[in-house]
Amino acid sequence: MTKIRDSELLERFGDHLKGIRTGKGLSQEEVAYRADIPINQVGRIERGEVNTTVSTLFALAKGLEVPPAQLLSFEPSLSQG
Amino acid sequence: MTKIRDSELLERFGDHLKGIRTGKGLSQEEVAYRADIPINQVGRIERGEVNTTVSTLFALAKGLEVPPAQLLSFEPSLSQG
DNA sequence: AATTATTAACACATATATGTGTTATAAAGC
DNA sequence: GCTTTATAACACATATATGTGTTAATAATT
């Protein structure tokens, strides 16, 4: 128990976000500004350091100009739990 | 600033989750068991009391037997920010 | 090399999610 | 009425996300 964080999932999620961002040619700063969240937070999320929240997901979707659901559209791991 | 939570969004999100769950005829307890999270947490999320995390979203998707992205597929508010 | 742009890393206070246990409602069936 | 099932509500400790500020490292440009 005391799982809570789940590093592998968060790293993959971060990579997915970064892929969307770079695919659009946006900097972390631009995304942070549009999403109205600190640039440091964008970096931490992309690096998989934090397990971000629903409200931040919606903010990021706005900043990245994609539907929120797209942020969760990726393969979470090699083997499903 | 000091927004962080965003009650309206979280209430809508909770309603959306509850809609998926009841639409499948599942109890909170069943979902909690399958998602391996406390039943209390499921309730708090459905009631919009907490701003849950990415890892819990994936757990809930598993418990509800839907793709994670579906959990974010709803209209977040009457007027877009 | 120096400047600029971009990202990472670090520290810290505060808010809050999670996990756990317990108790209260509410509805349904006996 | 009692029991079962389902959900809500409360309390509390702990982990951690967020927000903020600062500094370092890494490109890219000139």
Side-chain angles (χ1 to χ4, degrees), chain B residues 13-25 46:
Chain B
F13 172 64
D15 286 345
H16 176 62
L17 281 189
K18 185 170 184 171
I20 294 174
R21 178 176 63 79
T22 58
K24 295 208 164 204
E46 285 191 356

Side-chain angles (χ1 to χ4, degrees), chain A:
Chain A
M1 358 80 220
T2 329
K3 185 192 338 179
I4 298 185
R5 240 161 131 276
D6 194 335
S7 299
E8 179 164 348
L9 172 68
L10 297 181
E11 284 178 21
R12 285 182 176 266
F13 172 64
D15 287 343
H16 176 63
L17 281 189
K18 184 169 184 171
I20 294 174
R21 177 177 63 79
T22 58
K24 295 208 164 204
L26 298 170
S27 67
Q28 288 183 351
E29 191 175 33
E30 284 175 286
V31 172
Y33 174 75
R34 299 190 198 179
D36 193 26
I37 61 183
I39 181 176
N40 271 356
Q41 192 63 6
V42 174
R44 285 187 284 210
I45 295 166
E46 285 190 356
R47 274 174 259 127
E49 289 179 7
V50 294
N51 189 6
T52 198
T53 63
V54 169
S55 61
T56 300
L57 285 177
F58 276 84
L60 283 171
K62 181 183 166 195
L64 291 166
E65 297 181 315
V66 296
Q70 188 177 332
L71 304 188
L72 298 188
S73 295
F74 67 99
E75 280 309 313
S77 67
L78 298 171
S79 56
Q80 297 294 50

Side-chain angles (χ1 to χ4, degrees), chain B residues 18-61:
Chain B
K18 185 170 184 171
I20 294 174
R21 178 176 63 79
T22 58
K24 295 208 164 204
L26 298 170
S27 67
Q28 288 184 351
E29 191 176 33
E30 285 174 287
V31 172
Y33 174 76
R34 298 190 198 180
D36 193 26
I37 59 182
I39 181 176
N40 270 355
Q41 192 63 4
V42 175
R44 284 187 283 210
I45 295 165
E46 285 191 356
R47 273 175 260 126
E49 289 178 7
V50 294
N51 189 6
T52 198
T53 63
V54 169
S55 62
T56 300
L57 285 177
F58 275 83
L60 283 172

